[in-house]
């Protein structure tokens, strides 16, 4: 894939962000659907709007400049600064591309915090050329106690291939399948099948992007145990260090 050339102002802004550590972290709860108990938090990078209009724009600019891994590393460094503030019993989930997780500096940071209850969500949306190398990396992380999650399951070729090769601990059901699942029998059938599949392989299934009570209740009825989305809580600061049901 060819990267779009980066303009000089964007490159200057990107360097300012990296040199100044100008990344903030918002945390979105991952909850148990049957009772609202918070099981984990996903760490999401946020940027000053004077720098980038959205996280998508920031990471696209970084990738175009060949600095994508540097920005991902900075984001997880910022997230790990809050590990001492995590509520008891909740895991912290960070997003990393396949390229980033295969980088020695990123692996070293993950392994240094492996005992702290960490999940790595693989966010790569392109075909992986060497699954042997990737499974070696994820195997080392899992052996150290880090959970591996595959993001956007059901959204396309790459995510399902990740599931088959990596045998993850967590599968995240893509928001496109969750949207209007209460009124769409095809989406419901696929979610039910993925819930059964996850159960058979001993993985947790998390539905992303739950925005209505009807979606929430339908997912529960289909056997989906965990979820996150605006219906339960928007990304924001961490709560006090104890877990209470959100529903």
């Amino acid at each position: 894939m060819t990267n779009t050339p980066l303009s000089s102002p964007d490159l200057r802004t990107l360097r300012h962000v990296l040199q100044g550590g100008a990344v903030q972290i918002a945390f979105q709860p991952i909850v148990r659907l049957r009772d609202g108990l918070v099981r984990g938090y996903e760490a999401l990078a946020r940027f000053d709007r004077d720098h980038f209009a959205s996280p998508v724009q920031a990471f696209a600019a970084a990738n175009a400049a060949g600095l994508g891994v540097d920005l991902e590393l900075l984001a997880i460094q910022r997230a790990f600064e809050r590990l001492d503030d995590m509520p008891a019993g909740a895991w912290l989930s960070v997003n990393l591309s396949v390229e980033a997780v295969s980088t020695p500096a990123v692996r070293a940071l993950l392994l240094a915090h492996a005992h702290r209850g960490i999940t790595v969500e693989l966010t790569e949306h392109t075909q992986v050329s060497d699954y042997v190398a990737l499974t070696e990396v994820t195997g080392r992380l899992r052996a150290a106690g880090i959970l591996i999650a595959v993001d956007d399951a059901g959204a396309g070729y790459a995510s399902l291939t990740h599931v088959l090769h990596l045998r993850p601990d967590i599968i995240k059901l893509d928001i496109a399948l969750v949207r209007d699942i209460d009124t769409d029998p095809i989406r419901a059938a696929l979610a039910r099948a993925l819930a059964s599949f996850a159960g058979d392989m001993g993985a947790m299934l998390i539905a992303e992007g739950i925005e209505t009570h009807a979606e929430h209740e339908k997912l529960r009825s289909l056997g989906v145990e965990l979820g996150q989305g605006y219906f339960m809580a928007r990304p924001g600061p961490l709560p006090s260090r104890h877990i209470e049901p959100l529903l």
Side-chain angles (χ1 to χ4, degrees):
M1 182 173 65
T2 302
N3 289 328
T4 302
L6 193 66
S7 67
S8 295
D10 279 349
L11 184 56
R12 287 195 297 271
T13 299
L14 182 60
R15 287 173 174 163
H16 173 78
V17 168
L18 290 169
Q19 292 169 4
V23 177
Q24 298 81 45
I25 302 297
F27 299 86
Q28 186 170 35
I30 299 164
V31 309
R32 196 163 61 192
L33 297 184
R34 71 173 183 268
D35 58 10
L37 182 71
V38 177
R39 294 293 309 280
Y41 288 88
E42 181 179 359
L44 299 166
R46 295 291 184 261
F47 301 87
D48 190 317
R49 288 189 176 274
D50 290 337
H51 295 154
F52 294 104
S54 70
V56 170
Q57 185 188 59
F59 283 102
N63 288 328
L67 297 170
V69 172
D70 294 348
L71 189 57
E72 290 183 66
L73 179 58
L74 174 59
I76 64 171
Q77 286 171 334
R78 285 285 178 263
F80 287 172
E81 289 172 0
R82 301 300 309 279
L83 278 169
D84 288 340
D85 301 321
M86 287 290 292
W91 73 73
L92 176 65
S93 184
V94 295
N95 293 281
L96 287 170
S97 67
V98 170
E99 181 184 9
V101 83
S102 302
T103 302
V106 173
R107 289 202 307 273
L109 180 62
L110 293 170
L111 291 170
H113 295 84
H115 61 293
R116 304 296 300 275
I118 295 168
T119 294
V120 170
E121 293 189 25
L122 292 175
T123 60
E124 192 74 22
H125 295 285
T126 57
Q127 188 172 355
V128 175
S129 60
D130 189 350
Y131 270 107
V132 173
L134 180 58
T135 54
E136 182 179 345
V137 170
T138 57
R140 288 181 59 195
L141 298 179
R142 293 172 80 177
I146 296 171
L147 299 180
I148 300 298
V150 168
D151 205 10
D152 300 337
Y157 173 84
S159 62
L160 291 178
T161 304
H162 283 358
V163 170
L164 292 173
H165 283 276
L166 301 179
R167 311 294 172 89
D169 306 287
I170 297 171
I171 299 170
K172 301 197 75 175
L173 187 63
D174 185 65
I175 187 172
L177 298 179
V178 171
R179 185 66 61 249
D180 299 323
I181 195 169
D182 53 302
T183 60
D184 188 331
I186 303 302
R187 282 182 169 85
L190 183 52
R192 183 186 295 109
L194 284 171
S196 177
F197 173 76
D200 287 346
M201 68 178 293
M204 293 179 279
L205 183 66
I206 300 173
E208 298 184 280
I210 303 172
E211 294 191 353
T212 68
H213 180 264
E215 291 170 352
H216 178 279
E217 292 304 296
K218 184 63 177 182
L219 287 160
R220 283 186 61 192
S221 74
L222 296 172
V224 179
E225 182 180 359
L226 301 172
Q228 62 187 120
Y230 286 2
F231 175 69
M232 288 85 75
R234 292 175 177 264
L238 285 174
S240 58
R241 295 186 60 192
H242 64 280
I243 296 177
E244 293 182 349
L246 289 181
L247 299 174

